[in-house]
Amino acid sequence: MERIAVFPGSFDPITLGHYDIVERAVPLFDQIIVAIGQNAQKNYMFSLEQRKKWLEDSFKPFPNVRVDIYEGLTVDYCKKMGANFILRGLRNPADFEFEKAIAHTNRAITKKDIETVFLLTSSGKSYISSSIVRDVLRNGGNYEILVPKEVRI
């Protein structure tokens, strides 16, 4: 059975933390789908097209990584794509508690067909989040140290 993982997120924008998780997960899975979830209630700083391009450019070196867009429940998207894993990154204990609740819910509603795999973000990147990057950008700071080189604004 092919090991397909979905790495869901808004990636507004992609950070070095996101990149770190995918880069380290590449040898673990046959295919990783970096999936941009669309949420009509959320106001994004960057367009869907821009976020998708940054992801595609960032992960170009990895032949088993592809980028896609989806709406609705992540588990429904996983079933549609034939994925049996959800990949999530953890930066801190608060992330763990939040992600644990989602993972338990996902297992319950999929009858344990989809497993969540957690990777700890490398220590030098654990402080980075998309919201921090957006705040640095809004205030004219040096965001380039927080994002892959492909993300230039």
Side-chain angles (χ1 to χ4, degrees):
M1 173 189 273
E2 194 175 27
R3 293 168 313 204
I4 301 172
V6 169
F7 183 47
S10 59
F11 306 104
D12 187 34
I14 178 179
T15 70
L16 289 177
H18 295 129
Y19 188 89
D20 173 65
I21 294 298
V22 173
E23 180 180 44
R24 291 176 32 238
V26 160
L28 305 176
F29 299 100
D30 299 308
Q31 184 181 133
I32 299 173
I33 304 167
V34 180
I36 306 169
Q38 295 187 85
N39 181 342
Q41 267 61 39
K42 209 168 174 186
N43 290 321
Y44 298 106
M45 180 176 244
F46 301 101
S47 71
L48 182 61
E49 296 75 24
Q50 181 63 75
R51 291 180 281 147
K52 186 171 191 271
K53 181 176 180 355
W54 282 333
L55 288 165
E56 289 168 344
D57 292 348
S58 295
F59 295 119
K60 198 171 281 186
F62 305 106
N64 66 328
V65 177
R66 69 185 183 96
V67 178
D68 198 13
I69 297 163
Y70 77 101
E71 288 185 69
L73 293 176
T74 301
V75 291
D76 290 341
Y77 176 74
C78 287
K79 289 177 188 175
K80 176 182 164 194
M81 302 309 291
N84 39 1
F85 298 97
I86 296 173
L87 175 63
R88 298 299 293 162
L90 299 175
R91 295 170 298 184
N92 54 49
D95 279 357
F96 173 73
E97 290 302 324
F98 178 74
E99 294 291 345
K100 180 177 76 167
I102 294 170
H104 286 313
T105 302
N106 287 342
R107 279 181 55 88
I109 63 178
T110 64
K111 300 179 178 67
K112 301 179 185 178
D113 288 341
I114 298 172
E115 190 65 61
T116 302
V117 175
F118 298 112
L119 289 182
L120 298 176
T121 305
S122 296
S123 62
K125 298 171 181 74
S126 63
Y127 67 94
I128 304 170
S129 69
S130 292
S131 58
I132 287 173
V133 173
R134 290 191 306 270
D135 194 46
V136 170
L137 274 164
R138 275 191 285 271
N139 290 287
N142 181 10
Y143 70 91
E144 292 182 2
I145 63 170
L146 306 171
V147 298
K149 67 183 182 319
E150 294 78 7
V151 179
R152 294 297 176 254
I153 299 152

